[in-house]
Structures are given as structure tokens and as C-alpha cells.
Amino acid sequence: RKEVEQDPGPFNVPEGATVAFNCTYSNSASQSFFWYRQDCRKEPKLLMSVYSSGNEDGRFTAQLNRASQYISLLIRDSKLSDSATYLCVVSLSSNDYKLSFGAGTTVTVRA
Amino acid sequence: EAQVTQNPRYLITVTGKKLTVTCSQNMNHEYMSWYRQDPGLGLRQIYYSMNVEVTDKGDVPEGYKVSRKEKRNFPLILESPSPNQTSLYFCASRGWTGGAESNQPQHFGDGTRLSIL
């Protein structure tokens, strides 16, 4: 079983729509969680960290559910520029340098 | 400008011909790492280094070597490349400030697209 699993999508949504997707992780000891964004096989870039209480950054909301071992990302009022692959990243602890990446969820926002 | 620089960006070579992909960062980061990315598999960690002269295997180290003689550089060495090492490679670095929720994000290089024929 993969350490981090994501629905690959693609999620095709119209501009202005809300899109949400999850990522599950297998190691219950995981401590740090992130969402990264990757455009067209370019380098991944941090979108946001995911905190225990959940957090919001503009149109993006991340949630953590430790009981069910998943994190989620919700994008409100989708823009064309949100089209990308979103990578879920998990590490075992704050000082664990081994990060596990999901294969990514592709989102395509159409006009 | 803070950055991670990989070279070369693209390389086509043949089986068995030793190659090195360089990685350099200018942020004085302790931690550096190499990943490969293949369709459907996501990024998989090859090797990482927590500081100078400290390296450790990631999830897919077979066929690769690394060294960390200086803090800024972390080259990836393929002693005898094979076609199954054809992939997109990323180098990354990260600083460390302590605490579970102050874990700094990784900065990635632009990637090296490697084709082994």
C-alpha cells in the first residue's frame, strides 16, 4: 500500500466552481502535512501547510482528519490559473526529513 | 534571489556512461534531497542529507550515489546509468527552525529530465 494516496482526477470544473479532493495517508504517526502545486511537470511549489485545526489561505482551505487519516483541499471560486496538479505531502514528524509524496490530483478549470 | 540550481536541465545519454547531476542552493539550508518523478508514482526520494558529510538513503537509492562535501552542493551520481533511470529528477533544500508546525517548505530546483538509451 502506498504511504500517500490521491485520486488522480482529472477534476474538470468551470470557472467559479468549488472543487475539493482528499488525500489519505497510511502512517498514523505522521505529523506534518502539506499541499504542493505542480504545473506542467515543473518544480513543485508549496501551496500551504496543513495544521491540526485546519487552515485557510484566500480561496484555499485545508483540513486534517487524523481519525480517518486524510487531509483535504478545497478551492473556492476556481480560476483558470488554478489548473495544476496538487501534490499531497506527509512527513512522519517535524524533524523527519523523509517526505512522502502522493502522485497528485489534476485539476483543470475551464472558461 | 533564493534558489536551488540544477544542471543540466536536459540530458540524453547511453547505458553505462557515468553522469553527475549537480545541485546547488544559496540559502544556507542544512537539508537537501534528491527525488525522481515518474508518471503515476509521484515524487520518490532517492537520497537526502541533513548536513555536510551526513547522507542517508531515501526510498529508491539503488543505482545512485550522492555526496555532501559542502553545505551548498549535493550532486547526484549515476555510476552506470540504465534505461529504468530515465526520469524527471528534482533537487530540493529546506531550512530548519524547529517545532512541528514551523516545518519549513522545501525549495525545489527546476528539474533535470534524464533519458538513458
Side-chain angles (χ1 to χ4, degrees), chain B residues 12-75:
Chain B
I12 301 174
T13 188
V14 296
T15 299
K17 185 175 180 182
K18 180 180 178 180
L19 67 92
T20 299
V21 185
T22 62
C23 175
S24 179
Q25 51 96 3
N26 63 0
M27 296 166 279
N28 201 36
H29 284 166
E30 292 80 15
Y31 170 78
M32 297 185 75
S33 183
W34 275 103
Y35 298 89
R36 60 177 290 173
Q37 187 174 32
D38 302 289
L41 296 177
L43 275 86
R44 293 179 292 167
Q45 191 174 48
I46 303 171
Y47 268 95
Y48 64 96
S49 169
M50 293 167 65
N51 216 321
V52 175
E53 302 292 1
V54 181
T55 63
D56 208 348
K57 296 178 180 179
D59 297 317
V60 288
E62 295 77 20
Y64 304 95
K65 287 174 59 176
V66 292
S67 68
R68 189 88 183 273
K69 293 186 171 61
E70 307 164 282
K71 199 171 187 179
R72 64 183 290 122
N73 296 321
F74 190 46

Side-chain angles (χ1 to χ4, degrees), chain A residues 1-107:
Chain A
R1 182 185 171 189
K2 291 181 182 176
E3 290 189 29
V4 180
E5 299 211 49
Q6 296 183 247
D7 181 344
F11 288 76
N12 294 305
V13 300
E15 267 187 299
T18 295
V19 59
F21 42 89
N22 295 338
C23 156
T24 59
Y25 58 94
S26 61
N27 193 326
S28 59
S30 299
Q31 293 292 325
S32 298
F33 308 89
F34 309 90
W35 283 105
Y36 276 71
R37 172 195 169 124
Q38 187 175 28
D39 296 297
C40 297
R41 305 283 277 178
K42 292 187 178 179
E43 77 277 17
K45 292 182 180 178
L46 179 69
L47 178 67
M48 58 197 301
S49 301
V50 185
Y51 300 131
S52 300
S53 54
N55 49 297
E56 193 173 298
D57 183 0
R59 298 180 293 105
F60 297 84
T61 301
Q63 294 281 351
L64 168 63
N65 186 316
R66 287 192 184 275
S68 301
Q69 293 182 208
Y70 73 85
I71 65 173
S72 64
L73 182 66
L74 182 145
I75 307 172
R76 281 187 301 277
D77 187 22
S78 300
K79 311 291 184 192
L80 294 176
S81 58
D82 294 334
S83 297
T85 296
Y86 292 86
L87 307 178
C88 172
V89 183
V90 175
S91 77
L92 279 180
S93 67
S94 59
N95 59 1
D96 182 349
Y97 289 96
K98 291 190 67 174
L99 298 182
S100 295
F101 284 75
T105 296
T106 298
V107 173

